[in-house]
Amino acid sequence: HKLAAARQAGAELCIDLLEQDGKRGGEEEWDVYFEASGHHGSVLKGVEGLSVNGRLVHLGIWDGGQVPGLNWNVISALKELEVMGSSLGGNIEESVWERTMAMLSENPSHFASLVTHRLPLEYFREAHEIASQANLEQQARSIKIVIDFSLSSGDHN
């Protein structure tokens, strides 16, 4: 489901790291890798698949914040990667928000499939449980979980 949603949103290359290695079937390396799964294995695959002077962009935050097995010598000396973090917090320029909102407004149907769960406030614990699944296969079923204040306890997906 996540790969189809990424394609619908305009991604040029989508790879299921559970099914194939970190490169395009072993053919070439990437210049940029966006990691948004929250799983340390995804970072390891991304570092492996990035080209020299590539860019690793991590979106969001992780529970615990550790990446077991990450070799910083590969990042700094061997590949000289640029690592960028983004939690979409206070360091984001206002123009980034404006461009993001414009992009979402222009093509809302491209991004509709990113919301996989819409729950009323009463189900906030269930929403948190869905969002915090540690297993990659369980995470594959959800992308974005929205707490919708306009829903009653019987209206959710």
Side-chain angles (χ1 to χ4, degrees):
H1 179 75
K2 288 183 179 184
L3 295 177
R7 285 186 195 97
Q8 184 176 355
E12 294 176 19
L13 175 65
C14 304
I15 295 174
D16 184 342
L17 293 174
L18 293 174
E19 295 182 9
Q20 64 187 91
D21 69 13
K23 300 178 185 173
R24 296 182 193 190
E27 294 174 17
E28 56 187 273
E29 297 177 321
W30 309 309
D31 294 325
V32 180
Y33 179 78
F34 285 89
E35 197 299 306
S37 73
H39 192 274
H40 67 275
S42 177
V43 171
L44 297 175
K45 290 282 191 172
V47 168
E48 176 188 326
L50 278 165
S51 62
V52 171
N53 295 315
R55 179 181 294 172
L56 171 65
V57 181
H58 176 257
L59 305 168
I61 57 174
W62 288 351
D63 186 21
Q66 302 296 316
V67 182
L70 183 63
N71 183 342
W72 277 97
N73 290 327
V74 172
I75 292 171
S76 62
L78 183 62
K79 291 194 173 186
E80 299 180 9
L81 300 178
E82 179 181 3
V83 178
M84 301 178 68
S86 174
S87 65
L88 299 179
N91 294 329
I92 301 295
E93 297 175 27
E94 188 172 323
S95 63
V96 171
W97 286 110
E98 291 169 359
R99 290 191 315 258
T100 302
M101 293 301 109
M103 182 175 66
L104 291 171
S105 310
E106 290 169 9
N107 298 304
S109 63
H110 287 183
F111 303 98
S113 63
L114 297 179
V115 177
T116 56
H117 297 77
R118 190 174 297 274
L119 300 161
L121 179 60
E122 295 84 18
Y123 287 86
F124 73 92
R125 283 188 181 93
E126 181 180 332
H128 185 267
E129 287 175 21
I130 294 167
S132 63
Q133 295 298 324
N135 182 306
L136 273 180
E137 291 180 28
Q138 291 171 331
Q139 283 183 349
R141 290 184 233 128
S142 67
I143 300 176
K144 294 295 174 194
I145 297 100
V146 173
I147 301 290
D148 188 334
F149 292 92
S150 68
L151 295 177
S152 65
S153 61
D155 303 328
H156 72 282
N157 62 351

